[in-house]
Amino acid sequence: MADDLVHELPEATRLALASAGGNRTQWLTFFALDARVGGYVLGAQEPLLAQMRIAWWRDELAKAPSMRPQGDQLLDAIGSETEGLRELLDGWEALLAEAPLGREGLEPFVSGRATAVQGLARRLSVKHLEGAGTAARLWALADLAFRLPDESDRQLALDMAEGLTMRSPALPKPLRPLAVLAGLSRRALARGGAPLVGDRSSPFVALRLGLFGR
């Protein structure tokens, strides 16, 4: 299962996953769901089809694990650990609206990913969640600044991130993958919305962040 799900991940989350240690399964499951649903949205030729796929996930995650269909490796891996995942789905779905999305279209995605990350942090017994939320918002905005097709929305994502880039919350070791993503995001935003892994130095930066968290 693990190898199949890793292949679905963007390069940045694959690099971040390398620092997950004993929490690899939890982080891989979260990253894989984020990537799976993001693929529906960012590659959508027919928004209605993407909405139907997201609705399927929303419906299945609302069920007890014993009541779900068997055979989807990712759905099986999620099990009963669903805190924050509905907000993640809702946030991705908000990006299907007609561009320009504006702040009211971007904020559900940003806050949804932050809520989902905080839910994962709780499952990893992390007590102080503010730093996790800030780092997740930074990651979300860096993704938007690079991946959205509308130039005004990309600029808005950069503007929304401006205050966050000056804050560098220390994250506990169970959240080391998030520290990697926050660091890569800060670099990408400083370069005007570049890819998170956008130059030859990026893997080495990810390695340093994975080892030391800074």
Side-chain angles (χ1 to χ4, degrees), residues 1 29-30 32-33 57 61 65 68 72-83 85 123:
M1 178 199 73
T29 302
F30 169 71
L33 179 63
W57 275 101
L61 293 179
R68 298 173 190 159
D72 185 291
Q73 294 178 328
L74 178 53
L75 184 61
D76 293 344
I78 290 171
S80 61
E81 305 295 342
T82 62
E83 181 184 359
L85 298 185
R123 294 193 290 277

Side-chain angles (χ1 to χ4, degrees), residues 103-188:
R103 185 178 292 268
E104 65 276 9
L106 302 191
E107 180 57 35
F109 172 73
V110 176
S111 60
R113 187 179 266 178
T115 298
V117 166
Q118 288 175 324
L120 175 57
R122 287 190 186 91
R123 294 193 290 277
L124 298 178
S125 301
V126 173
K127 295 182 179 179
H128 302 292
L129 302 179
E130 183 179 356
T134 298
R137 290 180 67 86
L138 195 64
W139 170 34
L141 288 165
D143 259 356
L144 293 175
F146 170 64
R147 300 171 80 177
L148 288 179
D150 184 82
E151 176 61 33
S152 64
D153 284 333
R154 292 198 300 271
Q155 183 59 52
L156 177 58
L158 291 171
D159 294 343
M160 291 170 67
E162 189 171 345
L164 295 178
T165 55
M166 301 303 294
R167 298 163 61 185
S168 182
L171 298 173
K173 193 169 184 180
L175 301 185
R176 191 58 56 81
L178 183 59
V180 172
L181 290 169
L184 291 175
S185 296
R186 191 171 288 106
R187 293 177 78 246

